[in-house]
Amino acid sequence: MSSANLTRAETAARARALDVHSYRVELDLRSAVDARHSGFPTVTTLEFTASTDETWLDFIGDSVESVTVNGEPVPVVYDGARITIGGLREINVVTVVATGLYSRSGEGLHRFADPVDGETYLYTQYEPADARRVFACFEQPDLKAPFTFVVTAPLHWRVLSNETTERRVQRENTQTVTFAPTQPISTYITAIVAGPYHRVDSSWSRGDLTVPLGVLCRASLAGHLDADEILEVTRQGMDFYADNFDYPYPFGKYDQVFVPEYNLGAMENPGCVTFTEAYVFRGAATAAQRQARANTVLHEMAHMWFGDLVTMKWWDDLWLKESFADFMGALVSAEATEFTDAWVAFANRRKAWAYLQDQLPTTHPIVADIVDLEAAKLNFDGITYAKGASVLKQLVAYVGRDAFFDGARRYFRRHAFGNTTLADLLAELSSTSGRDLSPWARAWLQTSGVSTLHLEATADDSYEIVQSDPRPHRLAVGCYDPDESGDLVRTHRFEIDLLDTRTGIDLPDTALVLLNDDDWTYAKVRLDARSLDTVETSLDRVREPLARGLLWSALWNATRDGDLAADRYLSMAARFAPHEADIALLTAVLANAAQAVEHYVPPTARPDARRRWFDAVWAGLHSAAPGSDAQLAFARAIGVAASVDDRHSGELRAMLCGDTPPPDGLRLDPDLRWNWWAALTATGNADETDLDEELRSDDTASGRTAHLRALASRPRAEVKAHAWATILADHTLTNDHLDATIAGFRAGARRDLISAYDPDYFAVLRETWTSRSIEIARRIVVGLFPAADSLEPVDAWLDANPDAPAALRRLVIEQRDQLARDLRVQRLNTP
């Protein structure tokens, strides 16, 4: 195992031996503007006490020039990931002078050159353990300390960190900015952002506390930044957390920076939150996109308390911050912003992620067993986020909202600026609720898997709710019948506790029974035969969006599991998608239907399924209200359908070239244009000349990435060969450009062009894992996994590589399971 892959056992031993008092980190970033310079000087001075005479510092960079321990230079002992330091006393001061490397992968200090104006932008991204790519440190969450950052940069740049500027000194064309010391925080949430960012300022106040607010993005995106809405959501979140957490915002200022080529949705660096600039909408944005952005803003804000103020001791308890933040993002969106239907998107979209993850052979409890950093990196998944949030929603219903928030307040006060485990949180919640939560934690936090609920009639004309994988649930059961207008409305509602495999329930004669109505618990739901028949004819008549979302979710889960015929699902999607008023649900249905066509319909029936689905999407585009979110959602879905069916290629080209107007109200913004051009290219109905012409109109970072993807989509053998070689051999590709090339390689479902690379994929897996960063390696392993018609090649690799790194095997096993599901469901859908 590489020394870069820190283990839980060794970091726990280091934490017992050390107590860190402070960091001073000096970074010289003046070279960033010159692409010929790959590195930057970094100097770290640490003060700490030790009960051992030797330990190590973590650093992954170009070189270590010198190490000084308690004023004495010592030999540099550096293996590329760890710097050994000996001769320690009880109180120590250690200084490391080193050279870090600018990143192209979004890990560490990422450098980006804007093609629009030639300016350079930097930002850091560390979670779980990439601060060591920027400065020498003790890279583990339970060795918190105050940090003082000193940054030298070009004079015209903005330089930001977690704290406010304490001093700024100008010298000719450079500036040196010294930031105030932070509160005690973990290494992974420290941050540096530097470059000529555009900034919008505001503030939020409550009582004597005023928090300066900033929203920033690249200068070339300033015209697209809707800072007013972002700041409104920010203030609404601050109000909610002030009212409910009763612990003042602890980090002084609150900057939110939208950055390029970002690997995540956002990162909760205290006082300096970073977001993907995909949230800066270059064209029209649906309400679902705006809702998702608001959710992310509120999710990250919740981390200021859950994660930053109080931090997990080790990555086993990652859920202590991510599950809470995911839950709070939906709760605060629904209760404090205009996005009152946030729980609808959560039930349909976020929980779908959890259900998918929880059915993989690599599923894990919410409180996971994380033995090392590679395992931690892969556990930022649907279990930790969405399942954890679902379980917390159930917990609130179980203990009561007042007890839940009272427990959270006690947790903040007792553990402020410290580190915790599951036991610490349960102690506070048990105290405030008066309940022993240990049995609940064992059932929901410390076991894996998802129950499936269905209704069965009994011999005495009553009913039983049957659950697989029994565990305690509290849920509502809704009965729906037509009203005088024909709408399906809830006529009866029952609350029930499930403990065993079978639980009896008395229900009236009704058209539709919805188990887990209101979405209190975490479980897949199957519809009984009568209810399914009702949904098949009248789904659009269900008035409540949350109920419709739960029904769409039940249909999709049944399709994925092979219990509902893919054709039946697609028929319902084609019939009801044009009438779906909730844009989050419509967006999900359009994506799920496309996946059903490509993954669950058997190959012999797929051409016809593609045609029928494309007809439905094309009709939906032309029937949607002009300028509506639905029109835009169907227009984007056209790009997916047209990449495997070229019957409308002439009409699409005519609209793109201006020969034919698009449907009334539809604006062909740059992202939509690239969406359609990529589809045309994948079917051979556009080529390099068309793409180059489009790039001349949109020579931006997004345009160049889209151009790269479309070029790799061309259905020619030599194009796929070049893309394959580039993915594996070109280490200068940025994270976004790597993704684009992989997507282009896979575009159009042209197995005839890429199946020859299947043996090469398995041949290079281990080398790719060891030679690339885990972020880049993960993208390659997942993105290039062969969509074959047999499991034999992947099974052969797994059998031959039992000693492969556990994280690599996990990814391959997960992809194998997805393929096995595809093949099994295709067989079930074969007449």
Side-chain angles (χ1 to χ4, degrees):
M1 182 178 66
S2 165
S3 67
N5 188 21
L6 301 173
T7 70
R8 178 177 55 201
E10 63 186 346
T11 56
R14 182 165 65 175
R16 289 191 295 270
L18 304 180
D19 185 12
V20 187
H21 298 166
S22 69
Y23 282 84
R24 180 181 174 89
V25 178
E26 302 171 56
L27 304 175
D28 187 344
L29 306 180
R30 289 174 293 179
S31 64
V33 296
D34 187 343
R36 295 171 298 177
H37 289 274
S38 61
F40 57 91
T42 171
V43 180
T44 306
T45 301
L46 308 90
E47 297 185 13
F48 59 96
T49 56
S51 59
T52 181
D53 63 354
E54 183 177 290
T55 189
W56 81 93
L57 284 162
D58 302 295
F59 180 70
I60 298 175
D62 185 59
S63 60
V64 176
E65 279 68 62
S66 68
V67 178
T68 302
V69 178
N70 298 320
E72 297 293 329
V74 299
V76 174
V77 182
Y78 177 53
D79 67 358
R82 304 187 186 197
I83 304 167
T84 301
I85 50 175
L88 299 178
R89 308 168 185 166
E90 180 180 356
I91 301 175
N92 301 277
V93 178
V94 173
T95 299
V96 176
V97 178
T99 301
L101 292 171
Y102 295 111
S103 169
R104 300 276 283 171
S105 66
E107 303 157 293
L109 182 60
H110 189 83
R111 177 168 62 176
F112 173 84
D114 192 334
V116 174
D117 55 19
E119 292 283 6
T120 300
Y121 292 85
L122 305 176
Y123 65 87
T124 56
Q125 172 56 38
Y126 297 151
E127 192 173 39
D130 285 321
R132 56 188 172 157
R133 295 182 184 274
V134 178
F135 58 93
C137 60
F138 298 119
E139 187 76 283
Q140 57 193 86
D142 59 344
L143 285 177
K144 287 185 168 184
F147 288 79
T148 299
F149 288 99
V150 182
V151 180
T152 300
L155 184 60
H156 71 291
W157 281 14
R158 295 186 189 275
V159 183
L160 295 84
S161 186
N162 304 90
E163 275 291 345
T164 56
T165 298
E166 189 173 72
R167 185 170 64 257
R168 181 172 180 265
V169 177
Q170 299 182 24
R171 294 185 183 88
E172 296 182 353
N173 295 321
T174 67
Q175 58 179 320
T176 298
V177 181
T178 302
F179 293 95
T182 69
Q183 299 279 8
I185 58 176
S186 303
T187 53
Y188 78 92
I189 51 175
T190 61
I192 296 294
V193 174
Y197 285 89
H198 168 75
R199 181 183 182 101
V200 178
D201 286 302
S202 187
S203 65
W204 172 85
S205 296
R206 174 64 65 91
D208 294 332
L209 177 65
T210 295
V211 178
L213 307 177
V215 177
L216 299 92
C217 70
R218 287 188 287 129
S220 63
L221 287 178
H224 303 294
L225 180 66
D226 46 343
D228 289 346
E229 180 171 312
I230 295 166
L231 288 167
E232 179 183 17
V233 171
T234 302
R235 284 188 286 264
Q236 289 166 334
M238 286 286 189
D239 285 339
F240 185 96
Y241 294 130
D243 291 338
N244 289 278
F245 286 173
D246 193 31
Y247 191 105
Y249 173 72
F251 297 109
K253 69 180 180 71
Y254 197 72
D255 288 328
Q256 298 175 97
V257 192
F258 295 82
V259 298
E261 296 182 332
Y262 202 51
N263 289 333
L264 309 173
M267 182 62 206
E268 67 268 18
N269 315 305
C272 190
V273 182
T274 42
F275 295 83
T276 172
E277 64 181 24
Y279 285 136
V280 179
F281 307 124
R282 297 203 306 157
T286 67
Q289 289 176 276
R290 293 171 49 241
Q291 179 192 78
R293 181 178 64 188
N295 186 295
T296 303
V297 167
L298 298 167
H299 173 120
E300 301 309 320
M301 192 181 298
H303 275 313
M304 300 301 111
W305 292 266
F306 284 109
D308 295 357
L309 176 67
V310 184
T311 310
M312 72 273 157
K313 186 179 292 292
W314 178 249
W315 301 101
D316 296 346
D317 283 305
L318 175 63
W319 81 281
L320 280 173
K321 68 186 188 77
E322 295 302 347
S323 298
F324 274 87
D326 220 44
F327 170 72
M328 296 305 301
L331 177 70
V332 184
S333 292
E335 297 190 3
T337 77
E338 67 178 277
F339 303 109
T340 55
D341 282 342
W343 286 119
V344 178
F346 179 85
N348 190 261
R349 185 174 58 211
R350 297 297 280 182
K351 290 180 80 169
W353 180 28
Y355 295 146
L356 184 154
Q357 192 83 40
D358 217 5
Q359 294 175 86
L360 295 173
T362 56
T363 188
H364 56 86
I366 294 170
V367 179
D369 181 25
I370 304 299
V371 298
D372 57 32
L373 285 180
E374 286 192 356
K377 181 74 173 179
L378 298 188
N379 260 43
F380 290 81
D381 60 15
I383 304 297
T384 301
Y385 284 73
K387 181 179 180 179
S390 302
V391 168
L392 287 178
K393 186 179 182 184
Q394 182 196 66
L395 177 63
V396 173
Y398 178 54
V399 304
R401 181 181 175 121
D402 290 344
F404 176 81
F405 277 107
D406 191 27
R409 290 187 285 268
R410 292 177 56 161
Y411 178 71
F412 299 146
R413 290 192 294 270
R414 186 180 299 272
H415 300 288
F417 301 108
N419 296 87
T420 59
T421 64
L422 167 64
D424 298 308
L425 178 67
L426 289 185
E428 302 305 334
L429 292 175
S430 295
S431 176
T432 56
S433 67
R435 296 174 181 263
D436 178 8
L437 294 179
S438 300
W440 174 86
R442 284 193 296 273
W444 285 106
L445 301 180
Q446 296 169 313
T447 60
S448 60
V450 54
S451 302
T452 301
L453 310 179
H454 71 273
L455 193 68
E456 282 188 7
T458 62
D460 59 356
D461 294 327
S462 186
Y463 296 92
E464 287 182 335
I465 299 174
V466 183
Q467 67 162 321
S468 65
D469 191 16
R471 64 188 69 198
H473 298 268
R474 179 145 185 87
L475 71 153
V477 179
C479 298
Y480 289 77
D481 288 291
D483 65 6
E484 61 278 1
S485 68
D487 285 344
L488 282 168
V489 297
R490 188 164 64 191
T491 54
H492 298 84
R493 181 181 182 277
F494 305 91
E495 295 182 10
I496 188 170
D497 291 310
L498 307 184
L499 297 175
D500 302 315
T501 301
R502 293 177 174 271
T503 305
I505 184 172
D506 292 324
L507 296 172
D509 184 46
T510 190
L512 168 62
V513 178
L514 178 56
L515 303 181
N516 195 29
D517 205 0
D518 297 325
D519 197 38
W520 281 3
T521 197
Y522 172 80
K524 294 191 298 180
V525 168
R526 292 287 190 264
L527 299 173
D528 64 276
R530 181 179 180 184
S531 296
L532 180 57
D533 288 342
T534 299
V535 168
E536 193 164 24
T537 59
S538 308
L539 177 55
D540 59 332
R541 304 309 295 267
V542 177
R543 189 178 297 170
E544 286 298 319
L546 180 55
R548 286 200 315 279
L550 294 170
L551 291 168
W552 277 119
S553 177
L555 295 173
W556 178 238
N557 282 321
T559 304
R560 288 191 72 247
D561 293 345
D563 288 345
L564 179 69
D567 272 352
R568 198 172 180 187
Y569 177 84
L570 288 167
S571 294
M572 285 186 271
R575 177 174 181 177
F576 298 124
H579 307 289
E580 179 51 68
D582 186 285
I583 187 60
L585 296 181
L586 174 59
T587 303
V589 170
L590 294 174
N592 290 342
Q595 182 173 344
V597 169
E598 298 303 319
H599 291 264
Y600 304 141
V601 172
T604 55
R606 199 169 295 151
D608 182 60
R610 287 171 174 167
R611 286 192 293 272
R612 287 186 286 112
W613 178 242
F614 197 0
D615 287 344
V617 174
W618 191 261
L621 171 66
H622 289 85
S623 66
S628 65
D629 282 356
Q631 183 188 54
L632 182 57
F634 278 109
R636 291 168 175 169
I638 289 289
V640 179
S643 69
V644 292
D645 182 341
D646 69 351
R647 285 176 301 132
H648 292 289
S649 60
E651 294 103 311
L652 292 174
R653 276 196 69 97
M655 285 188 272
L656 288 169
C657 295
D659 299 329
T660 301
D664 288 346
L666 181 65
R667 175 174 172 261
L668 299 184
D669 61 51
D671 292 337
L672 182 57
R673 292 181 62 85
W674 281 117
N675 176 305
W676 287 6
W677 276 122
L680 292 173
T681 305
T683 57
N685 289 285
D687 212 329
E688 189 171 357
T689 302
D690 301 304
L691 303 179
D692 290 348
E693 180 65 27
E694 188 67 25
L695 183 62
R696 280 189 281 274
S697 300
D698 183 33
D699 193 9
T700 63
S702 296
R704 290 190 179 188
T705 301
H707 180 259
L708 188 64
R709 173 178 178 169
L711 285 176
S713 300
R714 291 171 293 167
R716 301 204 301 268
E718 69 275 15
V719 170
K720 302 305 181 183
H722 180 263
W724 178 266
T726 299
I727 291 164
L728 294 180
D730 187 354
H731 290 214
T732 68
L733 280 182
T734 69
N735 44 0
D736 278 8
H737 287 180
L738 176 67
D739 280 351
T741 308
I742 291 172
F745 179 80
R746 299 293 295 265
R750 292 294 302 270
R751 284 287 296 160
D752 58 313
L753 291 174
I754 64 175
S755 61
Y757 298 95
D758 292 359
D760 293 344
Y761 169 85
F762 291 107
V764 302
L765 275 180
R766 294 190 71 151
E767 179 188 353
T768 298
W769 192 260
T770 56
S771 65
R772 311 294 285 267
S773 73
I774 189 170
E775 178 66 37
I776 295 299
R778 181 190 61 79
R779 292 171 187 237
I780 294 172
V781 171
V782 173
L784 293 181
F785 185 86
D789 57 5
S790 169
L791 297 172
E792 290 181 7
V794 62
D795 286 343
W797 186 89
L798 289 168
D799 289 343
N801 291 273
D803 61 337
L808 171 59
R809 282 185 59 88
R810 170 178 169 170
L811 289 175
V812 175
I813 288 168
E814 289 178 350
Q815 295 309 302
R816 184 224 183 259
D817 190 74
Q818 303 273 24
L819 177 60
R821 177 183 291 268
D822 289 358
L823 298 177
R824 177 177 62 83
V825 176
Q826 287 170 24
R827 287 194 297 271
L828 292 171
N829 281 290
T830 300

